[in-house]
Amino acid sequence: MAVALVQQTNGNSGSSSTTLSCTLGVAPTTGSLLIFAMAGDKNTGALTLSGFTELYSLLQTSVSLYYWYKVSDGSETTINPSWATASAAGNTAWYGEWNDSGISGSSWVISGQASHISDNTSVNTWDTGTTGTLTNTGYGIAVDAVDSSQSVTSVSAWGNSYAITYSGTGLSGRGGVMVAEKAESSGGTTNSTFNYSGTADQNSGAIGVWAKIAAATNPVGKRVHLDAAALVRAAFW
C-alpha cells in the first residue's frame, strides 16, 4: 500500500456567491481518487458537484463541512461546486488527487469513516469522530471546517500523528477548511483532532480511510466498492 497525494489545489468564494472553482495543475489520472472538501461560513445548504458522491455534508447553524469523492475518469481538471445558500462571508475549498502506484486499476474501498458535527460552541480543538474497525489497510484523510478562517492564526499538530496536508487560513471571515493525512492499518479504529492557536470558533470534522485494491478482490460485508464506472455507498457501523 502506497497511497500518496499526487496534486492539490484550493478555491474560495465571496459572500454573495454560491459557487467557486478549483483547478488542478494537470489532468488527473484515470482511476485515481479525487477528494473535495469545503467549509462554509454558517449553513450554506445542499451541495451540487457533478459526478462526485457525498461522504459527508455536515450542515450546522454556525458552519458547514462538505467531504465528497470520485474515482477519476481523467476529465476533472477543473470542478465547479455550487451550494444552495450564499454564506455570510464566503466559502473555501480544497481539492486533491490521490493514487496508489503499487496497484493498477481503479477499484477503491472505504475502509472506515466517521464525522463529528459542530455543537455551535467556540473551541480551539475538534475531533473527527472515531471510525469503526478498519476493514483494509489504507490511508486516512481527515478534514475540519472552522467557521472563520481568520480565527486560525497557526495550526498545531493534528492528533494521532496526522500530518498537515492543507490549512485554509488567512482568508478573512470565510469558512476555513483544513486537511490532514496518515497511513492506517486494518483491524483497529482511528480518528484525529484539529488543534489551532487563535480565536476559539465553531468547528466540524470528518475522516475517511481509503484503500486501493486489486481488481480481483471483492468487497466484503459492508465495505464500499468504488470503480470508475460505478460508485456505490453503504453505511458503516
Side-chain angles (χ1 to χ4, degrees):
M1 191 280 298
V3 176
L5 179 65
V6 178
Q7 57 179 332
Q8 62 177 314
T9 189
N10 58 79
N12 64 80
S13 75
S15 59
S16 61
S17 177
T18 56
T19 189
L20 56 75
S21 294
C22 295
T23 301
L24 295 170
V26 297
T29 300
T30 298
S32 62
L33 177 67
L34 304 175
I35 300 291
F36 171 79
M38 185 172 72
D41 183 27
K42 312 301 184 281
N43 185 342
T44 49
L47 181 73
T48 300
L49 182 52
S50 179
F52 281 68
T53 298
E54 174 191 286
L55 187 65
Y56 290 110
S57 291
L58 305 180
L59 308 180
Q60 183 56 283
T61 305
S62 55
V63 63
S64 298
L65 171 61
Y66 306 88
Y67 189 158
W68 289 44
Y69 65 91
K70 183 185 182 186
V71 177
S72 178
D73 62 16
S75 67
E76 307 90 352
T77 306
T78 296
I79 59 172
N80 299 287
S82 61
W83 50 95
T85 305
S87 68
N91 290 8
T92 66
W94 174 89
Y95 178 39
E97 178 190 5
W98 302 78
N99 212 342
D100 188 336
S101 59
I103 299 176
S104 61
S106 57
S107 294
W108 291 82
V109 295
I110 303 173
S111 179
Q113 64 188 84
S115 68
H116 186 191
I117 192 169
S118 174
D119 61 6
N120 292 320
T121 59
S122 295
V123 295
N124 289 83
T125 182
W126 195 258
D127 68 82
T128 61
T130 299
T131 68
T133 301
L134 301 180
T135 57
N136 287 81
T137 294
Y139 210 73
I141 302 173
V143 299
D144 183 271
V146 60
D147 176 38
S148 298
S149 66
Q150 65 188 4
S151 295
V152 183
T153 55
S154 64
V155 178
S156 307
W158 282 68
N160 196 19
S161 299
Y162 268 65
I164 296 171
T165 306
Y166 174 75
S167 298
T169 62
L171 293 165
S172 63
R174 295 180 177 91
V177 66
M178 316 291 166
V179 185
E181 61 187 278
K182 180 191 172 187
E184 296 283 5
S185 298
S186 62
T189 63
T190 195
N191 58 51
S192 188
T193 301
F194 173 62
N195 304 288
Y196 72 92
S197 298
T199 303
D201 211 338
Q202 297 88 22
N203 289 258
S204 285
I207 189 171
V209 180
W210 308 84
K212 192 175 184 183
I213 60 173
T217 301
N218 293 320
V220 177
K222 292 296 183 180
R223 193 170 62 188
V224 177
H225 179 264
L226 312 173
D227 58 39
L231 296 171
V232 181
R233 290 195 63 234
F236 285 77
W237 60 90

